Amino acid sequence: MERLSGPELVQKASQLIANNELDEAVKIFGYLVDKLPDAPLPLLSRCTCLIQLEKYEEAKKDAENLLHFPNMPISEELAPGNSTLHSVAYARLAKCYKELGQIEEAEKLLKKRLEIEKTTNPRAIKEKINEDDKSEVGTNDEQSIETNKAAEKLRLQGNELYKLRKFKESSDIYSEALELDPNNILIHSNQALVLSKLNELDDALVHAETCIRLNPKWPKGYYRKGCILLEQKKYNEAFAALQLAKHYGGEDADLSKKIDLSRKKLKNSTNLKLIIISVAVSIISVLLLYFVEFEQIKSVLYWLFNNYFGDLW
């Protein structure tokens, strides 16, 4: 990359994007970000590529960093529907929050973007208010936003039923919510919890793993999975999942307790296996000693050595 000029690198990245080689384009924009820390456009371009790659946590950091730059006009070609740098930064942030299941935060960010556009481009707002906001957060019309709101309302209803220990009713409500918003990570997390309370552990595990698929760096997804695996007595896998929850930022006291419990269970399980093996060996030894004549033992050993270890003699 060092042999190419800035414009040549941008041209190369554009070609990579056209060929859908987004990971390589991200590398080039990352290089430009490091070399040109005072230039916001490489950062904006990398943010856009990361969103297309569904790497929303990384994209969110880039969008937040864009807000540290002075607000400036940008071309329509660079970010359609956005007239300033901060406007597009808020739109990108809203997209990330929406995909991470934080609908209310996404809507707040879109309102900030709209205020900027009202000030800088009032005519466009009057002609086509909020149309591009919806495309930025992954929706095509107001109906999709209303659907997400309805799903969130159902989730909160399910939470109240859970507090009343009405687990079956709570699970049914979460199922309705997921029909409206199947990629809502919070609903999947809640469903995993309530299904584990109903001892439907296999189904609970599916929802926990869906949380991990939707956001591989969200600690609660691994926490849910670890707790379910503990219930299934899969202590080795449970310990690994809970350690990942801690690795990705889980800090609550209950997580530490679950890690200690899984470690203890894993140790006890290993010790039990060793005890069983020792007892089995002892029983076989006694049986051989008292019920098999020495000459028979000698014949068996001779046969074993002759057939399996003969090449070593």
Side-chain angles (χ1 to χ4, degrees):
M1 292 187 196
E2 294 179 356
R3 296 180 180 179
L4 299 177
S5 65
E8 288 173 330
L9 284 171
V10 171
Q11 184 177 3
K12 183 178 180 180
S14 299
Q15 185 60 48
L16 288 168
I17 293 171
N19 294 334
N20 203 33
E21 298 178 49
L22 297 174
D23 284 310
E24 294 302 315
V26 166
K27 291 178 184 178
I28 292 177
F29 289 128
Y31 174 80
L32 290 171
V33 168
D34 293 337
K35 291 294 182 181
L36 305 168
D38 296 326
L41 295 186
L43 190 63
L44 173 58
S45 299
R46 184 173 70 179
C47 178
T48 304
C49 287
L50 288 169
I51 287 174
Q52 289 179 281
L53 288 166
E54 299 183 358
K55 296 181 179 181
Y56 299 113
E57 288 287 356
E58 296 176 48
K60 187 173 74 169
K61 291 177 183 177
D62 280 356
E64 289 169 345
N65 287 332
L66 285 170
L67 294 171
H68 296 156
F69 287 91
N71 201 11
M72 62 181 71
I74 58 173
S75 68
E76 177 74 13
E77 293 180 0
L78 188 61
N82 298 283
S83 59
T84 72
L85 180 65
H86 286 187
S87 177
V88 70
Y90 281 125
R92 297 289 189 268
L93 263 178
K95 168 68 174 175
C96 294
Y97 275 106
K98 187 267 177 184
E99 293 297 336
L100 294 171
Q102 301 178 44
I103 306 299
E104 291 183 6
E105 187 63 30
E107 290 179 350
K108 290 177 185 177
L109 291 165
L110 288 177
K111 287 179 182 178
K112 290 182 179 181
R113 175 205 175 270
L114 186 59
E115 289 302 316
I116 293 174
E117 289 298 307
K118 282 180 179 178
T119 303
T120 59
N121 197 8
R123 183 177 178 182
I125 292 297
K126 186 176 180 181
E127 291 175 352
K128 199 177 181 182
I129 188 168
N130 217 17
E131 193 68 28
D132 292 302
D133 290 339
K134 295 163 188 173
S135 64
E136 286 292 345
V137 294
T139 60
N140 295 319
D141 48 35
E142 289 184 5
Q143 186 177 1
S144 295
I145 292 180
E146 290 303 317
T147 299
N148 291 336
K149 285 184 178 180
E152 178 64 11
K153 185 176 179 180
L154 286 170
R155 185 181 76 85
L156 295 175
Q157 290 177 12
N159 291 355
E160 292 303 315
L161 288 167
Y162 176 83
K163 291 175 185 176
L164 296 172
R165 303 188 66 81
K166 295 182 178 180
F167 300 136
K168 182 64 173 67
E169 294 87 342
S170 176
S171 178
D172 291 341
I173 291 292
Y174 291 144
S175 295
E176 288 182 39
L178 286 172
E179 288 180 9
L180 296 174
D181 190 1
N183 290 323
N184 190 311
I185 194 170
L186 298 179
I187 302 174
H188 280 289
S189 175
N190 294 350
Q191 185 71 299
L193 175 60
V194 77
L195 286 173
S196 65
K197 294 291 185 182
L198 292 167
N199 205 35
E200 297 179 20
L201 298 178
D202 289 338
D203 290 337
L205 188 60
V206 170
H207 288 282
E209 290 178 336
T210 300
C211 290
I212 295 169
R213 177 179 60 80
L214 291 171
N215 184 357
K217 294 184 178 180
W218 193 47
K220 185 163 282 188
Y222 295 101
Y223 174 75
R224 292 277 185 253
K225 180 177 180 179
C227 291
I228 294 163
L229 289 168
L230 264 177
E231 292 294 322
Q232 292 181 325
K233 297 181 170 42
K234 298 178 180 179
Y235 303 125
N236 195 25
E237 295 175 53
F239 181 72
L242 293 167
Q243 286 284 45
L244 282 171
K246 185 176 181 179
H247 172 75
Y248 286 117
E251 296 177 348
D252 55 86
D254 191 56
L255 172 59
S256 299
K257 290 179 182 177
K258 292 292 186 183
I259 290 174
D260 291 340
L261 177 62
S262 63
R263 184 186 288 114
K264 183 179 178 180
K265 292 285 188 181
L266 183 59
K267 184 178 179 181
N268 291 343
S269 176
T270 303
N271 290 340
L272 180 61
K273 289 178 182 177
L274 290 174
I275 290 170
I276 291 171
I277 291 171
S278 299
V279 170
V281 169
S282 299
I283 292 171
I284 292 171
S285 300
V286 169
L287 289 172
L288 288 173
L289 182 62
Y290 288 98
F291 297 99
V292 181
E293 294 182 2
F294 178 74
E295 287 299 324
Q296 290 177 305
I297 297 174
K298 184 177 177 181
S299 298
V300 171
L301 292 174
Y302 179 80
W303 180 82
L304 286 172
F305 279 111
N306 190 49
N307 284 276
Y308 293 98
F309 307 107
D311 291 340
L312 299 177
W313 293 93

